[in-house]
Amino acid sequence: MGSLEKSQSLPIIDITSYLSDHDPEGRLSTSSAIHSACLKHGFFYLRINNFADPSEPEDLTKLAREFFALPEDEKAKIAFQNEDGARGYARLKENVTNGKADNHEAIDFYRPVDNPDKTRSLWGENQWPTVPGFKEKYEAWVEKMKALGLIVMEAMANGLGMTPEEWEGLRAQVDRSFWVMRVIGYPPLPDDHDGFSCGAHKDYGCLTFLYADPTRSALQVLSKNTSGANQAVDKLPVETGAEVGTWINADPIEGCVVVNIGEMWEVWTNGLYKSTLHRVVHRGSNYRIPFFFEPNFDAKVEVLAAARRLQSGQPKGEESDKKYDSVVYGEFLLKKVGGNFAEGKGKYD
Ligand SMILES: N=C(N)NCCCC[C@H](N)C(=O)O
Ligand SMILES: O=C(O)CCC(=O)C(=O)O
Ligand SMILES: [Fe+2]
């Protein structure tokens, strides 16, 4: 019993077979494990210790600690309101989810754009802390996570039975990923806080790779599969929408990132994969770094034929009905980002 078992209710999948060309069987089983995890949970652990040295994210955490320890007026020098309303620092409780202030502070970075214009939402420039080494170390992490994004996307395409041509088509929607990197500082959530460290939400895009500090029971994932015999759960009520289920802890595992799929995967798979609600109840004081590998800003995301073949039960023939309208990722993102800040506080609300 105990928290380890809770963690293990989400599968642990090793990406090593996709790091070389020499393991076709390993790739097959990795892809099918990811496929099952996406069908069942929308969440899994990805073992990446053969891809990224564990000391790298630890360095990032130290740099984050240095920045967040600065006086508020120093941090305000890179406030998101000074830029495009999205890129930069957001103070404690400035982010809002489901109408309630989130008990965290954060810096958001996005893919740089060709002709920055800070009067357009999302279209400005990243604001980097002056903490020595911050920009270099974080930029190196972005490069790593972008590469990992493409690798996991290919594994997922294989798991869905996409042809090589179909994978090329999907790849072309994510090869200029409009990625987001957040550096989040969580102070301990007080008992009387009306809300969460981060309220229940789905991620917006494609794949989230979360490097998490060791604080346990912080990230909680909504599980609709409550019948698992071994599944230790926190029987907490679910307060958003019509969703029913139980919250399970996704505690960090050494050498792994926590991966979850965003809403664009629901569209691509015609609802076969569900993007899962999650929230954060952080009782400690620490730093977490989610990297969001997202589609290209102008990607037209539409139901994939491979998903419709799977749904019809005839992998070579018939296709199921289309249940999702297509979405331009950047338009979807703009709406989401517009709702992320308290009324009157955001620049473009
Ligand atoms: N790009 C992502 N996923 N950022 C984190 C989203 C946190 C929830 C957000 N405040 C909301 O209300 O949607
Ligand atoms: O900090 C975490 O554990 C998760 C944060 C998260 O869900 C998000 O930023 O989208
Ligand atoms: Fe999230």
Side-chain angles (χ1 to χ4, degrees):
M1 277 313 290
S3 35
L4 189 62
E5 205 164 85
K6 289 185 187 182
S7 306
Q8 286 176 347
S9 58
L10 296 174
I12 304 173
I13 302 168
D14 195 322
I15 198 61
T16 305
S17 64
Y18 269 93
L19 303 179
S20 82
D21 291 330
H22 308 303
D23 188 6
E25 271 171 37
R27 283 186 170 208
L28 217 58
S29 68
T30 301
S31 283
S32 97
I34 295 178
H35 179 60
S36 310
C38 291
L39 287 173
K40 201 165 164 196
H41 304 284
F43 259 89
F44 55 95
Y45 291 97
L46 193 67
R47 183 167 288 290
I48 62 163
N49 54 339
N50 289 327
F51 179 77
D53 188 319
S55 70
E56 271 185 70
E58 280 163 23
D59 288 348
L60 302 182
T61 306
K62 285 195 200 103
L63 293 163
R65 182 170 295 124
E66 264 186 69
F67 173 76
F68 287 119
L70 293 171
E72 209 53 48
D73 58 343
E74 271 305 308
K75 295 191 270 189
K77 289 183 181 160
I78 61 163
F80 70 89
Q81 295 93 337
N82 302 340
E83 248 301 322
D84 60 3
R87 297 170 194 249
Y89 173 67
R91 288 192 315 272
L92 189 64
K93 301 190 183 175
E94 218 164 12
N95 272 273
V96 167
T97 304
N98 306 318
K100 290 188 175 169
D102 290 325
N103 199 55
H104 68 241
E105 54 184 336
I107 326 174
D108 287 298
F109 304 93
Y110 289 77
R111 175 192 175 85
V113 295
D114 284 342
N115 294 302
D117 172 0
K118 70 173 180 179
T119 68
R120 279 175 68 193
S121 180
L122 286 176
W123 224 250
E125 288 175 277
N126 289 328
Q127 305 187 80
W128 293 95
T130 52
V131 172
F134 194 106
K135 184 167 190 272
E136 296 69 27
K137 286 259 159 76
Y138 273 89
E139 278 183 336
W141 187 248
V142 168
E143 288 311 309
K144 275 242 153 95
M145 293 298 102
K146 273 164 44 183
L148 185 63
L150 282 175
I151 291 170
V152 177
M153 289 299 288
E154 182 175 4
M156 290 176 78
N158 290 336
L160 281 167
M162 292 175 79
T163 65
E165 296 71 35
E166 286 175 330
W167 158 235
E168 280 313 308
L170 179 61
R171 193 181 193 284
Q173 293 181 43
V174 298
D175 60 358
R176 285 171 293 116
S177 169
F178 199 74
W179 55 264
V180 189
M181 180 173 61
R182 310 198 75 201
V183 185
I184 311 179
Y186 290 107
L189 184 70
D191 284 338
D192 60 355
H193 184 69
D194 179 27
F196 296 92
S197 306
C198 184
H201 65 278
K202 294 178 176 185
D203 288 341
Y204 310 149
C206 193
L207 288 168
T208 304
F209 300 128
L210 171 73
Y211 171 72
D213 68 71
T215 307
R216 309 199 81 82
S217 312
L219 175 60
Q220 305 178 350
V221 174
L222 184 66
S223 171
K224 296 190 185 129
N225 171 24
T226 53
S227 58
N230 239 343
Q231 207 158 345
V233 291
D234 289 334
K235 299 232 180 282
L236 301 173
V238 176
E239 37 310 83
T240 36
E243 305 267 359
V244 286
T246 43
W247 294 100
I248 61 169
N249 292 327
D251 290 337
I253 295 180
E254 184 93 35
C256 295
V257 282
V258 183
V259 181
N260 62 287
I261 52 176
E263 287 188 64
M264 294 304 108
W265 267 114
E266 284 193 22
V267 179
W268 274 325
T269 63
N270 209 20
L272 200 59
Y273 293 172
K274 289 286 189 311
S275 173
T276 305
L277 280 171
H278 54 284
R279 67 182 189 186
V280 183
V281 180
H282 204 295
R283 300 282 182 195
S285 178
N286 225 321
Y287 308 93
R288 299 183 154 217
I289 308 155
F291 181 88
F292 303 94
F293 181 82
E294 309 294 49
N296 302 347
F297 196 83
D298 58 4
K300 190 173 175 221
V301 175
E302 50 192 353
V303 175
L304 299 169
R308 294 169 70 183
R309 295 196 299 267
L310 275 181
Q311 277 174 328
S312 74
Q314 296 182 318
K316 294 215 155 52
E318 218 168 283
E319 295 179 359
S320 65
D321 292 339
K322 220 178 191 165
K323 286 182 281 195
Y324 284 74
D325 290 333
S326 55
V327 202
V328 176
Y329 175 67
E331 291 172 7
F332 181 81
L333 178 66
L334 279 167
K335 283 193 212 126
K336 288 287 190 179
V337 169
N340 264 347
F341 299 103
E343 227 169 303
K345 280 196 182 163
K347 196 165 153 179
Y348 296 98
D349 292 340

